[in-house]
Amino acid sequence: MSTGGEGGGGVKLFIRESTGLVRELSFWDQLIIALGIINITGGFVLTMIVAPFAFPGSNMIWVFVLGAIPAFVIAWVYAILASAIPRTGGDYTWTGRVLGPRWASILGWMYILGTAGAVASQAWYITNFTLAQLFFNLGTRLNNSTYLTWSTIVSTSPGGFIIGLVVIIITALAGIFSLRIVKAVLRYSIIIYAITFILFLVGFAYVTPSSFIKAFDTIMSKYGVTYSSVMSVIKSNPAIASTSNIAATLMAAIPMGFITYSGFNYGTYLAGETRRPVEAFPRALFVSVVITLVGLALLSGLSYWAFGGAFLGGLSYLFNTGKLSALPVEPTPNLFIGFVAPLWLVILIDINLLLGFWLVALTYTLTMPRILFAMGFDRLLPEGITKVSERFHSPYYSMLVYIVINAVYLAAIWYWGYMVTWLNTSLGMPVAWMIPGFTALLIPFLRRDIYEKVKPYLPNWMTRRVLGLPSISWGGILLAAIWLADIAFMLVPISSYVYLGTSIPLAVGVVLVVAAGAVIYYEVRRWYLRRKYGIDLLPLTFREIPPE
């Protein structure tokens, strides 16, 4: 596997002969990164509040189970590609070596667009799905109006915006240190997260249907809402009074169920810093999906038993359509557990959610800047973006750039509107994620040299041929189809929540402008480097595997 050296005239193809990054991550570290970025409890809470509204009548237990199927496909594809080209930048790097630099440029810029607010979004979730519910529970249970006031402050601006900025700053400080330090932070954090996750499950033991109904009426009657009044409205609408709508469940599997698993493959952007990647990635990716599947099935099953599936689904629909505006905070499962469980346990459950959202922010801060770094190392971006701390071996410059982008995005969320911000950029990520599908489809044919070298080290089932086509190619077809389906949900009015509606022209326009801009940028950058060095450097760079 060539790593190239010079492009002629003594000019080096890459910025330098080594990245300056160190292979310090093990299988366990990659597993922690995958689970950290999935955030089982946080994903569960978010999806439970959104999916029943987006797809009325869907059964969330089966939505989560079916959502695991495309996650296993991604685990399969990314495990092979990360093993074949174990370099920093993950699918950006693979795509550049298989499909060429223009596609790599499109992918890279789409990622910058699509994850521009990833850390900012987690900061928003901390205030609106964790702290607001915690203070509301404390206020109602202790009859303390101060806590109720805080519940409002943290979920509105400027209070929520200020807290979000603090979260982003703390995340930046934690992520910018060496991998050795970040590994320790992640390992201790995931232990606390695992313990509080178990306590989250224990919280359901304090909830019975009768005790919940009694507590709900006691607390929510102050807001003119009772359990029977909510159920009366739900039963009057057959579409939301059931959790057995098979069509709704199947349609929700990709845009809702699968999205709950998304991000677990981002550890591959740290492939250049991972020891024994051929062993680490297949195990870490598949194990993380299995753990998530079990966790989501348990949480959703217990929620249905404790609160009732029709109640949760119907309440989500009514709240999101503005027909239950009396509720002062998002009606999440952690809020309802807080109506009945002991306060010490309620606090620990919300600590689990807070820590989970922060782990997502930290793992994004750790992984996504590696794409900026890889683009700079290929000379697609200015070389300053590849600066690495000699003390920490951390690409601090690319991480700072990424954090600044997220701080700007946080302001857009709070002062422009979270959903508007998401809708205008929502097509970017599925388009970007679809491109590696074509990379997987074509790598056995366009870069057979790379593919054949890694085959002996992978399990036979991952590399066998099916109907004359390598299994990685079938995986690529399925991967592209998954994201094509996700795009279709946004462009076709199957669900009012997922459907972009009047935002379609802007969302499509953003994607087209970014794609065209990425190609134009590549050509301008290519012209600049050719003029500077006297050779057509970029095409030569992308033919070679980057050095370690």
Short mmCIF file of all heavy atoms in Angstrom, two decimals, residues 257-290:
data_model
loop_
_atom_site.label_atom_id
_atom_site.label_comp_id
_atom_site.label_asym_id
_atom_site.label_seq_id
_atom_site.Cartn_x
_atom_site.Cartn_y
_atom_site.Cartn_z
N GLY A 257 -36.10 5.60 13.74
CA GLY A 257 -35.43 4.51 14.44
C GLY A 257 -33.95 4.46 14.18
O GLY A 257 -33.12 4.44 15.10
N PHE A 258 -33.58 4.47 12.90
CA PHE A 258 -32.17 4.36 12.54
C PHE A 258 -31.37 5.59 12.97
O PHE A 258 -30.22 5.48 13.41
CB PHE A 258 -32.02 4.14 11.04
CG PHE A 258 -30.62 4.39 10.53
CD1 PHE A 258 -29.56 3.64 11.00
CD2 PHE A 258 -30.38 5.38 9.61
CE1 PHE A 258 -28.27 3.88 10.57
CE2 PHE A 258 -29.10 5.62 9.16
CZ PHE A 258 -28.04 4.87 9.63
N ILE A 259 -31.96 6.78 12.85
CA ILE A 259 -31.24 8.00 13.20
C ILE A 259 -30.82 7.98 14.67
O ILE A 259 -29.83 8.59 15.05
CB ILE A 259 -32.12 9.25 12.91
CG1 ILE A 259 -32.30 9.40 11.39
CG2 ILE A 259 -31.49 10.50 13.47
CD1 ILE A 259 -31.01 9.59 10.63
N THR A 260 -31.55 7.23 15.50
CA THR A 260 -31.18 7.11 16.91
C THR A 260 -29.82 6.43 17.06
O THR A 260 -29.10 6.68 18.03
CB THR A 260 -32.25 6.32 17.68
OG1 THR A 260 -33.55 6.83 17.35
CG2 THR A 260 -32.05 6.43 19.18
N TYR A 261 -29.45 5.59 16.11
CA TYR A 261 -28.15 4.90 16.15
C TYR A 261 -27.04 5.73 15.48
O TYR A 261 -25.86 5.42 15.63
CB TYR A 261 -28.22 3.57 15.39
CG TYR A 261 -29.13 2.54 15.98
CD1 TYR A 261 -30.51 2.58 15.77
CD2 TYR A 261 -28.64 1.48 16.73
CE1 TYR A 261 -31.36 1.62 16.30
CE2 TYR A 261 -29.47 0.50 17.26
CZ TYR A 261 -30.83 0.59 17.03
OH TYR A 261 -31.66 -0.38 17.56
N SER A 262 -27.40 6.76 14.74
CA SER A 262 -26.45 7.41 13.85
C SER A 262 -25.27 8.02 14.61
O SER A 262 -25.40 8.47 15.75
CB SER A 262 -27.15 8.50 13.03
OG SER A 262 -27.60 9.54 13.87
N GLY A 263 -24.13 8.03 13.94
CA GLY A 263 -22.91 8.60 14.49
C GLY A 263 -21.95 7.58 15.06
O GLY A 263 -20.78 7.89 15.30
N PHE A 264 -22.44 6.34 15.27
CA PHE A 264 -21.57 5.34 15.90
C PHE A 264 -20.34 5.03 15.05
O PHE A 264 -19.34 4.52 15.55
CB PHE A 264 -22.36 4.05 16.16
CG PHE A 264 -22.66 3.25 14.93
CD1 PHE A 264 -21.85 2.19 14.56
CD2 PHE A 264 -23.76 3.55 14.14
CE1 PHE A 264 -22.13 1.45 13.42
CE2 PHE A 264 -24.05 2.83 13.01
CZ PHE A 264 -23.24 1.77 12.64
N ASN A 265 -20.40 5.34 13.76
CA ASN A 265 -19.29 5.07 12.85
C ASN A 265 -18.26 6.19 12.81
O ASN A 265 -17.26 6.10 12.10
CB ASN A 265 -19.82 4.84 11.43
CG ASN A 265 -20.70 5.99 10.95
OD1 ASN A 265 -21.60 6.42 11.65
ND2 ASN A 265 -20.44 6.49 9.76
N TYR A 266 -18.48 7.28 13.56
CA TYR A 266 -17.58 8.43 13.46
C TYR A 266 -16.19 8.17 14.05
O TYR A 266 -15.26 8.93 13.80
CB TYR A 266 -18.21 9.64 14.16
CG TYR A 266 -19.36 10.26 13.40
CD1 TYR A 266 -20.07 11.33 13.92
CD2 TYR A 266 -19.76 9.75 12.16
CE1 TYR A 266 -21.14 11.89 13.23
CE2 TYR A 266 -20.82 10.30 11.48
CZ TYR A 266 -21.51 11.38 12.01
OH TYR A 266 -22.55 11.93 11.32
N GLY A 267 -16.08 7.12 14.83
CA GLY A 267 -14.75 6.76 15.33
C GLY A 267 -13.78 6.44 14.21
O GLY A 267 -12.56 6.50 14.39
N THR A 268 -14.32 6.11 13.01
CA THR A 268 -13.44 5.80 11.88
C THR A 268 -12.68 7.04 11.41
O THR A 268 -11.68 6.91 10.71
CB THR A 268 -14.25 5.23 10.70
OG1 THR A 268 -15.29 6.16 10.33
CG2 THR A 268 -14.89 3.90 11.07
N TYR A 269 -13.12 8.25 11.79
CA TYR A 269 -12.36 9.44 11.44
C TYR A 269 -11.06 9.52 12.23
O TYR A 269 -10.16 10.29 11.91
CB TYR A 269 -13.20 10.71 11.68
CG TYR A 269 -14.47 10.70 10.89
CD1 TYR A 269 -15.70 11.00 11.47
CD2 TYR A 269 -14.47 10.36 9.54
CE1 TYR A 269 -16.87 10.96 10.74
CE2 TYR A 269 -15.63 10.33 8.80
CZ TYR A 269 -16.84 10.63 9.41
OH TYR A 269 -17.99 10.58 8.68
N LEU A 270 -10.97 8.66 13.26
CA LEU A 270 -9.76 8.56 14.06
C LEU A 270 -9.00 7.28 13.73
O LEU A 270 -8.20 6.80 14.53
CB LEU A 270 -10.12 8.56 15.55
CG LEU A 270 -10.74 9.85 16.09
CD1 LEU A 270 -11.64 9.56 17.28
CD2 LEU A 270 -9.67 10.84 16.47
N ALA A 271 -9.23 6.74 12.53
CA ALA A 271 -8.57 5.48 12.14
C ALA A 271 -7.06 5.61 12.16
O ALA A 271 -6.35 4.64 12.45
CB ALA A 271 -9.05 5.05 10.75
N GLY A 272 -6.55 6.79 11.84
CA GLY A 272 -5.10 7.01 11.85
C GLY A 272 -4.51 7.08 13.23
O GLY A 272 -3.29 7.15 13.39
N GLU A 273 -5.38 7.08 14.26
CA GLU A 273 -4.92 7.12 15.64
C GLU A 273 -5.38 5.89 16.42
O GLU A 273 -5.43 5.89 17.64
CB GLU A 273 -5.44 8.40 16.31
CG GLU A 273 -4.92 9.67 15.65
CD GLU A 273 -5.77 10.89 15.93
OE1 GLU A 273 -5.59 11.49 17.02
OE2 GLU A 273 -6.62 11.24 15.08
N THR A 274 -5.73 4.82 15.68
CA THR A 274 -6.26 3.60 16.28
C THR A 274 -5.29 2.45 16.09
O THR A 274 -4.83 2.20 14.97
CB THR A 274 -7.63 3.25 15.68
OG1 THR A 274 -8.53 4.34 15.87
CG2 THR A 274 -8.21 2.00 16.32
N ARG A 275 -5.02 1.73 17.16
CA ARG A 275 -4.15 0.56 17.07
C ARG A 275 -4.91 -0.63 16.50
O ARG A 275 -6.08 -0.83 16.82
CB ARG A 275 -3.60 0.19 18.46
CG ARG A 275 -2.77 1.28 19.11
CD ARG A 275 -2.02 0.74 20.32
NE ARG A 275 -2.91 0.20 21.33
CZ ARG A 275 -3.40 0.90 22.35
NH1 ARG A 275 -3.09 2.18 22.46
NH2 ARG A 275 -4.20 0.34 23.24
N ARG A 276 -4.25 -1.42 15.68
CA ARG A 276 -4.84 -2.63 15.09
C ARG A 276 -6.26 -2.38 14.57
O ARG A 276 -7.23 -3.01 15.03
CB ARG A 276 -4.82 -3.78 16.09
CG ARG A 276 -3.42 -4.22 16.49
CD ARG A 276 -3.45 -5.46 17.35
NE ARG A 276 -4.01 -5.18 18.66
CZ ARG A 276 -3.33 -4.67 19.68
NH1 ARG A 276 -2.04 -4.37 19.53
NH2 ARG A 276 -3.89 -4.45 20.85
N PRO A 277 -6.41 -1.48 13.62
CA PRO A 277 -7.75 -1.11 13.13
C PRO A 277 -8.53 -2.28 12.54
O PRO A 277 -9.76 -2.30 12.61
CB PRO A 277 -7.47 -0.04 12.08
CG PRO A 277 -6.03 -0.21 11.70
CD PRO A 277 -5.35 -0.72 12.92
N VAL A 278 -7.85 -3.25 11.93
CA VAL A 278 -8.55 -4.38 11.33
C VAL A 278 -9.29 -5.19 12.40
O VAL A 278 -10.33 -5.78 12.13
CB VAL A 278 -7.55 -5.28 10.56
CG1 VAL A 278 -8.25 -6.51 10.00
CG2 VAL A 278 -6.89 -4.51 9.43
N GLU A 279 -8.77 -5.19 13.61
CA GLU A 279 -9.44 -5.88 14.71
C GLU A 279 -10.41 -4.95 15.44
O GLU A 279 -11.52 -5.36 15.81
CB GLU A 279 -8.40 -6.41 15.71
CG GLU A 279 -7.42 -7.41 15.13
CD GLU A 279 -6.34 -7.78 16.13
OE1 GLU A 279 -6.50 -7.43 17.32
OE2 GLU A 279 -5.34 -8.41 15.73
N ALA A 280 -10.00 -3.71 15.63
CA ALA A 280 -10.77 -2.79 16.48
C ALA A 280 -12.11 -2.39 15.87
O ALA A 280 -13.15 -2.41 16.55
CB ALA A 280 -9.94 -1.54 16.78
N PHE A 281 -12.11 -2.03 14.59
CA PHE A 281 -13.33 -1.45 14.01
C PHE A 281 -14.47 -2.44 13.82
O PHE A 281 -15.62 -2.12 14.19
CB PHE A 281 -13.00 -0.73 12.71
CG PHE A 281 -12.34 0.59 12.93
CD1 PHE A 281 -11.04 0.81 12.52
CD2 PHE A 281 -13.00 1.61 13.59
CE1 PHE A 281 -10.41 2.03 12.75
CE2 PHE A 281 -12.38 2.84 13.82
CZ PHE A 281 -11.08 3.04 13.41
N PRO A 282 -14.24 -3.64 13.27
CA PRO A 282 -15.39 -4.55 13.15
C PRO A 282 -16.04 -4.85 14.50
O PRO A 282 -17.28 -4.84 14.63
CB PRO A 282 -14.77 -5.81 12.53
CG PRO A 282 -13.58 -5.31 11.77
CD PRO A 282 -13.04 -4.18 12.61
N ARG A 283 -15.23 -5.08 15.51
CA ARG A 283 -15.78 -5.40 16.83
C ARG A 283 -16.48 -4.20 17.45
O ARG A 283 -17.61 -4.32 17.96
CB ARG A 283 -14.65 -5.88 17.74
CG ARG A 283 -14.05 -7.22 17.33
CD ARG A 283 -12.69 -7.45 17.98
NE ARG A 283 -12.76 -7.40 19.44
CZ ARG A 283 -11.70 -7.20 20.22
NH1 ARG A 283 -10.50 -7.02 19.67
NH2 ARG A 283 -11.83 -7.20 21.54
N ALA A 284 -15.83 -3.04 17.43
CA ALA A 284 -16.41 -1.85 18.08
C ALA A 284 -17.72 -1.44 17.43
O ALA A 284 -18.70 -1.11 18.13
CB ALA A 284 -15.41 -0.70 18.04
N LEU A 285 -17.78 -1.45 16.10
CA LEU A 285 -18.97 -0.99 15.41
C LEU A 285 -20.15 -1.93 15.63
O LEU A 285 -21.27 -1.49 15.94
CB LEU A 285 -18.68 -0.83 13.91
CG LEU A 285 -17.67 0.26 13.54
CD1 LEU A 285 -17.39 0.25 12.04
CD2 LEU A 285 -18.18 1.64 13.96
N PHE A 286 -19.92 -3.22 15.49
CA PHE A 286 -21.02 -4.18 15.65
C PHE A 286 -21.48 -4.28 17.11
O PHE A 286 -22.68 -4.33 17.39
CB PHE A 286 -20.62 -5.56 15.12
CG PHE A 286 -20.74 -5.69 13.64
CD1 PHE A 286 -19.63 -5.56 12.82
CD2 PHE A 286 -21.97 -5.91 13.04
CE1 PHE A 286 -19.73 -5.66 11.44
CE2 PHE A 286 -22.09 -6.02 11.66
CZ PHE A 286 -20.97 -5.89 10.86
N VAL A 287 -20.53 -4.29 18.04
CA VAL A 287 -20.91 -4.40 19.46
C VAL A 287 -21.70 -3.17 19.90
O VAL A 287 -22.68 -3.29 20.65
CB VAL A 287 -19.65 -4.57 20.34
CG1 VAL A 287 -20.01 -4.44 21.82
CG2 VAL A 287 -19.01 -5.93 20.08
N SER A 288 -21.33 -1.99 19.42
CA SER A 288 -22.04 -0.77 19.81
C SER A 288 -23.49 -0.80 19.32
O SER A 288 -24.40 -0.35 20.03
CB SER A 288 -21.33 0.47 19.26
OG SER A 288 -21.37 0.52 17.85
N VAL A 289 -23.72 -1.34 18.12
CA VAL A 289 -25.09 -1.43 17.61
C VAL A 289 -25.90 -2.43 18.44
O VAL A 289 -27.07 -2.16 18.76
CB VAL A 289 -25.09 -1.83 16.12
CG1 VAL A 289 -26.53 -2.06 15.63
CG2 VAL A 289 -24.42 -0.76 15.27
N VAL A 290 -25.31 -3.56 18.79
CA VAL A 290 -26.02 -4.56 19.60
C VAL A 290 -26.40 -3.99 20.97
O VAL A 290 -27.54 -4.14 21.42
CB VAL A 290 -25.16 -5.83 19.76
CG1 VAL A 290 -25.80 -6.78 20.77
CG2 VAL A 290 -24.98 -6.54 18.43
#
